Amino acid sequence: MTTTNAHDPEGYWRATKRLTISLLTVWFLAGFGAGILFRDALDSFKIGGAPLGFWFAQNGSIYIFLILIVIYCIKMTGYEKKYGIKG
Amino acid sequence: MSEAFWTYLFVIGSFSLYILIAIRSRAGTTNDFYVAGHDIHPALNGMATAADWMSAASFLSMAGLIAFLGYGGSVYLMGWTGGYVLLALLLAPYLREFGKFTVPDFVGDRYYSKTARVIAVICALFVSFTYIAGQMKGVGVAFSSFLGVPYTAGIFIGSAIVFVYAVLGGMKGITYTQVAQYCVLIFAYTVPAIFISLTITGNPIPQLGFIGNVNGTSVSLLDKLNTVVTDLGFTEYTATSKSMIDMFCITAALMFGTAGLPHVIIRFFTVSSAQTARKSAGYALMFIAILYTVAPAVGAFARLNFIDTVNEATYIQDDENYEERAASIRAEGEKPVPEWYKTWEKTGYIQYEDLNGDGKIQYRGPSAPDGLANEVVPNRDIFVLANPQIAELPSWVVGLIVAGGLAAALSTAAGLLMVISSAISHDLLKRTFAPNMSEKQEMLAARLAASAAVISSALLGAYASALPFVAQVVAFAFGLAAASLFPIIFLGIFWKRMNKEGAIASMLVGLISTFSYIVYFKFMGGTPDGWWFGISPEGIGFAFMLVSTPVGILVSLMTKAPPMEIQELVQDIRIPGTRHSHGMAEGGMAPIK
């Protein structure tokens, strides 16, 4: 890949770590948080005919996991451009 | 057309397709055989990963488990999908950048140690054999219940098919067959679900039907299910008898286990770069999510249908003419036992004992308000298999389900066989005990190892029919992968200071502790009262991961740092495209692109 940006591996690795940690935080909150730990509190809300916490445990968390990976792919490709890394 | 006709048609048709693909994609080099030439498109690899991943347990058992466990079944849904986030973010791109053939290969080179490599081989073999027994059991079940083929013979037919494409084509053959198998299995899973969702909720999309209302009423499906099951004395569907800590640990064990499973990880060695490995993980989860978001709907529908058709139905004896007797029962305004029930009774999957002598089937939970005892015991696996019949769907749908179940079991079995054969031919022979083997000899060794693995797993499946439900057997493999493999792969990438001593200690602690706990509580008479902190054997892998990880870190800190070249290598794999040659660690690496 040709790029005009300067090759900056340290910057790339810092950005990667930051992104990884923030996405994993959401991962934890969606799966373990919404589906298990705070399930009872969320159940006072409803999505369609399903209690929200229950729905997160059986369906919602899966959608969020998928979105997280998509965001990761897009962001990482961006970082590779920005820091001049050959992806 | 009869069910048997359609079943034979779909099964023989799909099997021929797999064989055809295998013949067209024979492997010529070890590079083809182990990693399909490192050049599979990320979307195709995602599809193959999805088939590789979704096993007989996902296809046959999971919806049934959810149907019975209700909210408690969520551990499988979250656990078996959330692991892909870990895989995509923490492992897959880096491992691809490392450019090895197998998981023990990474461990052996990253930790510059033959001992570490051999222990990783043991972990990989252990995990894979545990897992493959479940697959073979699934194959036997599908054959024996639909095709009238005895259980053991069914396993041998299935193994013969896997044998042809795994031994001939290696990873290359397996990849393309898995793509075909994904298409078969996802079609087979979603079509009946759509029909059933339409019947019960009036909505063709199962995910929406699941949160919708029961057809023609203003009661939501889940409310209705809660009422029905509590009336019969079961726990509410949206509640669970599992404790919160146990739910947490099982989910975590399944997630970290997923990320540590060798047969999943090796799929990411088949793509061309770190970037494609990330994309591929995204595709994989997308293809998996299609089945996993439908499964809870299937489970809920199945539970409701089962109660509707079986509870309080008048039993018909085997020596009576079913049609006549059913007609006379209907004339009396009662409901006869459904026809599918009689079919499945013959397989031993469902049993009825008339405890109160009224000739009707009472289905009751442990705390039934009317005080009646439960008289019917269904095996959870039949809920997907018999679902089309329970919902009175056309007979071709039944055939489709069988072909789908077989596709799920065979694709996973093939992926596991690759792990077993490459662990033996590449890691044990080529990289440890016989480094002077030529490429040709290594190929031969790989094929022989794959053959031996097929045969032993067939025997294992044939004689393991006493094992508990497919999904529960498989759950053990996850605990072992989470406690022994995940920590050292993760630390190997994110902590340069992690050394050989730490890795060996961590793997041994994880493997031995998890194995002993599971064996004690599952097979040696341990009771739930004795569970540590209330954590079941399914979830213990996570707890022991929290032990094996710090053990690895402490031991590393107390011993000397890894050689400089290893630390530089770790630095390199974090930044795509910067990998240099690093002396001893370079052996057997894929070309640097």
Side-chain angles (χ1 to χ4, degrees):
Chain A
M1 204 172 90
T2 49
T3 167
T4 49
N5 291 326
H7 180 66
D8 176 11
E10 282 81 31
Y12 173 80
W13 181 242
R14 260 197 315 276
T16 306
K17 279 192 288 193
R18 214 169 36 233
L19 177 67
T20 307
I21 292 170
S22 34
L23 291 179
L24 285 180
T25 311
V26 179
W27 164 83
F28 182 85
L29 290 177
F32 297 96
I36 300 174
L37 300 174
F38 312 121
R39 192 224 150 179
D40 292 334
L42 285 178
D43 273 356
S44 49
F45 302 97
K46 284 207 153 193
I47 175 161
L52 191 59
F54 174 81
W55 179 81
F56 257 106
Q58 300 224 325
N59 250 324
S61 57
I62 302 177
Y63 300 129
I64 292 180
F65 296 152
L66 186 56
I67 295 169
L68 289 176
I69 300 185
V70 173
I71 296 176
Y72 181 68
C73 288
I74 296 171
K75 284 272 200 186
M76 287 301 284
T77 311
Y79 291 160
E80 270 149 22
K81 243 191 186 120
K82 186 172 167 194
Y83 297 103
I85 303 294
K86 168 183 163 254
Chain B
M1 294 295 163
S2 72
E3 276 169 20
F5 167 82
W6 287 113
T7 308
Y8 274 104
L9 183 79
F10 282 123
V11 170
I12 294 174
S14 59
F15 279 24
S16 319
L17 177 69
Y18 307 151
I19 299 285
L20 192 74
I21 294 172
I23 293 170
R24 293 185 58 107
S25 53
R26 275 190 309 263
T29 60
T30 46
N31 204 22
D32 279 351
F33 195 88
Y34 292 136
V35 290
H38 277 310
D39 213 16
I40 302 288
H41 186 275
L44 276 188
N45 186 54
M47 211 177 255
T49 309
D52 193 52
W53 170 241
M54 291 190 287
S55 57
S58 295
F59 192 95
L60 296 176
S61 303
M62 193 173 64
L65 276 170
I66 298 169
F68 279 91
L69 298 172
Y71 170 70
S74 315
V75 294
Y76 299 108
L77 293 164
M78 289 189 286
W80 286 340
T81 53
Y84 277 83
V85 178
L86 296 172
L87 207 51
L89 271 57
L90 300 179
L91 310 184
Y94 305 105
L95 289 175
R96 174 61 194 88
E97 201 56 28
F98 203 84
K100 293 291 164 169
F101 285 154
T102 68
V103 170
D105 215 10
F106 169 81
V107 175
D109 288 348
R110 165 64 181 83
Y111 296 112
Y112 47 96
S113 155
K114 283 188 179 174
T115 317
R117 184 189 300 270
V118 172
I119 297 172
V121 167
I122 296 170
C123 295
L125 290 180
F126 213 89
V127 168
S128 302
F129 271 112
T130 321
Y131 210 127
I132 213 167
Q135 307 313 312
M136 287 302 175
K137 201 183 163 205
V139 173
V141 167
F143 268 104
S144 61
S145 26
F146 284 98
L147 298 168
V149 178
Y151 179 81
T152 319
I155 287 180
F156 286 102
I157 297 173
S159 314
I161 301 287
V162 178
F163 183 85
V164 173
Y165 66 75
V167 174
L168 260 188
M171 200 57 170
K172 204 171 155 204
I174 287 176
T175 303
Y176 293 112
T177 352
Q178 282 176 336
V179 170
Q181 283 162 334
Y182 176 78
C183 299
V184 173
L185 83 87
I186 202 68
F187 191 65
Y189 202 83
T190 46
V191 166
I194 290 170
F195 275 118
I196 297 171
S197 180
L198 258 179
T199 322
I200 296 187
T201 67
N203 194 322
I205 300 168
Q207 288 92 335
L208 297 180
F210 182 58
I211 55 170
N213 290 343
V214 177
N215 211 355
T217 68
S218 58
V219 182
S220 79
L221 174 80
L222 290 165
D223 284 341
K224 160 105 189 230
L225 201 48
N226 274 341
T227 321
V228 171
V229 296
T230 41
D231 281 353
L232 296 177
F234 294 96
T235 329
E236 265 194 354
Y237 192 78
T238 54
T240 181
S241 51
K242 283 190 170 79
S243 67
M244 190 182 274
I245 181 172
D246 199 23
M247 287 279 293
F248 190 98
C249 287
I250 298 177
T251 307
L254 296 179
M255 283 190 190
F256 288 100
T258 298
L261 280 182
H263 75 285
V264 178
I265 293 177
I266 58 167
R267 286 243 47 104
F268 294 96
F269 296 149
T270 67
V271 295
S272 60
S273 67
Q275 197 178 54
T276 45
R278 291 194 289 266
K279 280 193 191 142
S280 200
Y283 278 115
L285 183 59
M286 181 183 85
F287 291 125
I288 291 165
I290 298 176
L291 189 145
Y292 273 64
T293 52
V294 168
V298 171
F301 299 151
R303 185 77 180 271
L304 204 56
N305 261 337
F306 179 79
I307 295 172
D308 253 5
T309 52
V310 171
N311 187 39
E312 301 299 337
T314 307
Y315 190 72
I316 298 173
Q317 300 295 336
D318 291 336
D319 52 7
E320 294 175 292
N321 180 322
Y322 181 84
E323 300 298 331
E324 279 174 24
R325 182 80 176 96
S328 74
I329 293 170
R330 278 194 204 96
E332 289 163 27
E334 301 281 333
K335 74 178 169 197
V337 63
E339 206 166 355
W340 64 263
Y341 184 100
K342 296 300 293 178
T343 320
W344 282 94
E345 203 174 30
K346 293 191 194 84
T347 62
Y349 268 62
I350 191 159
Q351 275 146 6
Y352 163 64
E353 195 186 348
D354 193 3
L355 295 173
N356 62 354
D358 68 350
K360 289 182 182 170
I361 301 173
Q362 269 88 31
Y363 178 55
R364 292 291 184 276
S367 51
D370 58 7
L372 290 177
N374 181 39
E375 301 179 335
V376 59
V377 186
N379 178 309
R380 291 164 192 190
D381 286 358
I382 74 167
F383 274 84
V384 166
L385 287 169
N387 218 2
Q389 294 161 316
I390 298 177
E392 300 177 335
L393 297 180
S395 51
W396 61 268
V397 180
V398 179
L400 197 57
I401 287 267
V402 182
L406 288 169
L410 295 180
S411 56
T412 306
L416 293 163
L417 288 171
M418 272 315 294
V419 171
I420 297 171
S421 84
S422 59
I424 292 170
S425 64
H426 187 72
D427 292 305
L428 279 190
L429 295 176
K430 176 77 182 172
R431 300 300 310 280
T432 311
F433 297 114
N436 298 324
M437 274 204 295
S438 69
E439 161 114 3
K440 246 190 163 151
Q441 286 169 319
E442 193 183 342
M443 275 291 279
L444 180 68
R447 291 202 156 111
L448 287 177
S451 316
V454 175
I455 295 166
S456 42
S457 60
L459 292 174
L460 193 64
Y463 296 106
S465 48
L467 292 172
F469 300 110
V470 177
Q472 287 177 0
V473 178
V474 167
F476 297 150
F478 290 89
L480 293 171
S484 63
L485 291 173
F486 182 84
I488 59 146
I489 302 176
F490 169 73
L491 290 171
I493 297 164
F494 286 85
W495 194 44
K496 285 185 215 166
R497 182 66 179 75
M498 184 73 181
N499 66 9
K500 148 173 113 177
E501 290 81 4
I504 294 173
S506 174
M507 276 192 287
L508 287 179
V509 167
L511 184 69
I512 295 170
S513 57
T514 310
F515 180 77
S516 324
Y517 193 88
I518 291 175
V519 167
Y520 177 73
F521 284 105
K522 281 286 168 176
F523 304 105
M524 287 173 53
T527 57
D529 302 331
W531 290 353
W532 295 359
F533 306 105
I535 301 170
S536 63
E538 284 83 4
I540 202 67
F542 174 66
F544 283 127
M545 187 184 99
L546 297 182
V547 177
S548 70
T549 310
V551 165
I553 294 174
L554 280 179
V555 172
S556 287
L557 288 175
M558 289 188 303
T559 46
K560 83 178 192 303
M564 223 35 225
E565 58 180 28
I566 295 289
Q567 301 199 33
E568 283 164 8
L569 174 66
V570 175
Q571 178 66 37
D572 282 3
I573 62 167
R574 293 173 177 178
I575 317 293
T578 59
R579 202 183 76 206
H580 300 91
S581 178
H582 289 288
M584 65 182 268
E586 191 62 24
M589 270 194 176
I592 300 168
K593 293 207 173 180

